[in-house]
Amino acid sequence: PAGPYLRISAGDATLEVLDVAVSGSLVLEVRGEGASERVTAVANQVDFDFGDGLGSLLSLENGSGRFIFQDSGVAGVGQVDIGVNALGASLGATTAFAFNTAASGVSENLDWGSGQELFEVPAGPFFEVVAENLTTTVPVAGVTQELSGTFSFAQSTAEGDPYVAVGVSDLEAELAAGGVGLSVTGGRGAFIWTADGLAGLAELDTVNLTGVPGVSLEAIDLALELNNTGADVGPRDVRISAAAGDTITVEYSGAYYHDYLAVSGGARLELAGFADLSGLLRIEHSDTDPTRLKVGAQELSLTLEAGSLPVLSFNHGEGAFVLGTTGIAGEAELAFEVGLIGLSGEIGLEVNTTGAAVNTTVNMPDGGSESLSLTAGNYLRVVVDGHLLLGSTSIAASFRVEVSGGSVVLSD
């Protein structure tokens, strides 16, 4: 064919790319002259060797691609068969790969022997494999959790220890317990993956609670959190994608979080006919009842209304709840309140919409536990042992405010 060019074929060549050995059959060409001179390579039967640290986790074999060599470094794109062996279940898929050892990106129309085609990679250095529509399972917190989405895999190192940075977008997952389901979609985040397991988080777009009558969930700022490494992790900034600065901080500290799966953050639980509970919620599988999800709550707020009139509003609460196919039940301590009626002293929240007595234990992150012992019924009540404040008058009192059957009742 027309020149000028220089072509070299290598049947079994190996390149060292960011501590990854890239081997395969290469056809290299030197095309153009002067400033337009480029060394390009068409690669087939490409394998990637991550070495002893990561080779048991991730295998990339039987790939093909195109590389470009410049004074600043080498960049490549292509397809490869990926094998993932440590997320709880082995899997395989054909995925896209890209790498760039240079600090600048490449975006050029190049002649690969079959006409001009765009060769484009972002600034490096990075090595990334992207798998779309991938589904895998992860054993965590006593369940086998399924995760689906678009995953990127990149080799990284922290304090001399290698790991795979797993970026994720369009994440879908479901926390299921008996007939209760908490499905999440649109997640975006990152995980640290080593031989010990997986740890990371993904910020969520949409969360849907099903199977709990009269209760719905509105996400405000929720994330899926996961750690099955059996140890503390981080803090560590983990890349989500090859884009500069696209990272998320992963940190889990304390034995409670060594085998941990939760949807946590700002959310609102709407109890039809009763009230709304909002705050920082942590929703997990119950470790004492496989048919329920448990909810830890901090900065809890609720408002009791008579029609459209706010009677009592409470803030800064903390407590625990369980969600099951018959409803929600739980208790919380409340610290601050405003409304037509003022309250002070010891203030407790009790809610039970299950219609039955509830006696269960909710284990908490600090190593303690909350014992729930609620009488049968369908109610939300605030129990006060302190003072009733009416304007400037303070009256010692012990009473409860109860929402039941659509009415607000004050009683001894």
Side-chain angles (χ1 to χ4, degrees):
Y5 67 85
L6 172 65
R7 178 180 296 157
I8 301 173
S9 297
D12 187 13
T14 300
L15 304 174
E16 196 73 24
V17 179
L18 300 175
D19 297 324
V20 179
V22 183
S23 61
S25 174
L26 303 182
V27 177
L28 298 98
E29 293 189 6
V30 181
R31 288 182 173 270
E33 296 178 316
S36 63
E37 185 178 82
R38 293 288 184 270
V39 177
T40 63
V42 176
N44 289 289
Q45 299 176 338
V46 179
D47 296 337
F48 298 86
D49 185 357
F50 290 91
D52 295 337
L54 301 176
S56 62
L57 303 181
L58 187 67
S59 63
L60 301 176
E61 300 175 335
N62 195 32
S64 62
R66 294 172 176 178
F67 307 157
I68 180 172
F69 299 83
Q70 304 178 98
D71 291 341
S72 57
V74 58
V77 295
Q79 302 286 324
V80 68
D81 293 339
I82 183 174
V84 178
N85 308 309
L87 290 178
S90 297
L91 57 89
T94 299
T95 64
F97 71 82
F99 62 81
N100 187 3
T101 67
S104 58
V106 180
S107 181
E108 293 188 35
N109 283 301
L110 298 173
D111 187 352
W112 299 94
S114 57
Q116 295 283 321
E117 293 184 27
L118 180 64
F119 182 95
E120 188 169 30
V121 294
F126 75 91
F127 186 105
E128 182 177 61
V129 180
V130 179
E132 297 181 348
N133 301 317
L134 191 63
T135 298
T136 188
T137 55
V138 182
V140 57
V143 301
T144 299
Q145 182 62 49
E146 187 174 274
L147 303 175
S148 300
T150 296
F151 294 86
S152 66
F153 302 89
Q155 186 180 26
S156 297
T157 302
E159 298 178 354
D161 296 324
Y163 69 93
V164 177
V166 183
V168 61
S169 59
D170 299 324
L171 177 70
E172 296 183 5
E174 182 176 19
L175 276 67
V180 178
L182 184 67
S183 59
V184 303
T185 58
R188 187 175 189 275
F191 298 87
I192 297 166
W193 179 24
T194 68
D196 294 326
L198 196 68
L201 70 157
E203 297 169 344
L204 304 172
D205 280 346
T206 305
V207 178
N208 185 38
L209 177 66
T210 58
V212 186
V215 180
S216 60
L217 178 69
E218 178 187 351
I220 299 174
D221 183 20
L222 287 173
L224 177 75
E225 301 179 335
L226 186 154
N227 178 21
N228 71 346
T229 66
D232 290 357
V233 177
R236 188 178 300 174
D237 291 334
V238 185
R239 65 190 299 283
I240 300 174
S241 73
D246 190 16
T247 63
I248 197 166
T249 301
V250 175
E251 181 178 11
Y252 294 102
S253 178
Y256 185 89
Y257 299 99
H258 289 177
D259 189 22
Y260 176 71
L261 174 68
V263 172
S264 66
R268 180 180 295 108
L269 282 170
E270 300 177 4
L271 282 59
F274 293 93
D276 291 349
L277 301 173
S278 61
L280 299 177
L281 306 183
R282 186 187 60 256
I283 306 171
E284 306 172 64
H285 290 96
S286 172
D287 42 12
T288 57
D289 186 343
T291 68
R292 288 172 168 165
L293 296 176
K294 66 178 182 179
V295 183
Q298 294 178 315
E299 293 300 320
L300 187 68
S301 299
L302 71 96
T303 300
L304 305 181
E305 296 180 348
S308 59
L309 179 65
V311 177
L312 291 171
S313 294
F314 298 88
N315 299 289
H316 308 302
E318 183 172 342
F321 305 86
V322 290
L323 299 170
T325 55
T326 55
I328 182 174
E331 298 178 325
E333 295 296 324
L334 303 169
F336 180 74
E337 66 294 326
V338 295
L340 295 178
I341 302 172
L343 303 173
S344 64
E346 296 182 5
I347 305 169
L349 167 70
E350 298 178 354
V351 58
N352 185 3
T353 70
T354 68
V358 174
N359 293 281
T360 189
T361 300
V362 178
N363 293 325
M364 305 300 285
D366 61 4
S369 62
E370 294 286 341
S371 296
L372 302 182
S373 181
L374 298 164
T375 59
N378 194 28
Y379 58 84
L380 183 150
R381 64 171 68 113
V382 177
V383 181
V384 178
D385 184 8
H387 293 80
L388 175 66
L389 306 176
L390 297 172
S392 60
T393 303
S394 175
I395 305 171
S398 295
F399 60 91
R400 69 184 184 186
V401 181
E402 183 167 325
V403 180
S404 181
S407 61
V408 180
V409 179
L410 180 65
S411 62
D412 294 334

